[in-house]
Amino acid sequence: MKCPKCQSENVSTQVINTVKLKNKHHGLLWWMFVGWYWVPIKWIVFTVPALIFAIFGSKKQKAVNKRKTVCVCQNCGYNWNL
Ligand SMILES: [Zn+2]
């Protein structure tokens, strides 16, 4: 591997693991067909199931692993993504 800046062969690669938390949301269609009547019923009439739903609903977080390989030139310090 060659450095694109100084053409040096003295390049090290390292894998960087970044974790991103992604929130799951209801889509537009869900709100159009279900959400507009389900949410008021849920919160006014079914208070207990709503609380249970809220507890489980808050766990809708997804961990997304993203692997990134970064090359670092040992000669000039230039780094770039592979
Ligand atoms: Zn370089």
Side-chain angles (χ1 to χ4, degrees):
M1 185 145 352
K2 263 188 180 179
C3 171
K5 208 178 174 188
C6 66
Q7 306 304 314
S8 167
E9 294 276 354
N10 194 9
V11 170
S12 73
T13 55
Q14 36 187 266
V15 176
I16 292 170
N17 216 357
T18 52
V19 178
K20 261 189 183 174
L21 282 175
K22 219 178 171 184
N23 272 315
K24 257 189 167 179
H25 289 290
H26 288 296
L28 185 71
L29 280 172
W30 186 87
W31 283 107
M32 276 170 76
F33 294 107
V34 183
W36 63 273
Y37 66 84
W38 173 237
V39 170
I41 289 167
K42 196 176 74 179
W43 288 108
I44 296 160
V45 185
F46 303 106
T47 314
V48 174
L51 282 170
I52 294 163
F53 186 87
I55 290 159
F56 285 101
S58 64
K59 282 180 181 172
K60 269 188 180 171
Q61 266 197 337
K62 227 170 111 187
V64 177
N65 262 304
K66 241 190 170 182
R67 264 200 170 178
K68 225 165 100 182
T69 308
V70 179
C71 301
V72 181
C73 174
Q74 304 296 303
N75 200 40
C76 68
Y78 183 77
N79 59 79
W80 67 97
N81 294 331
L82 200 69

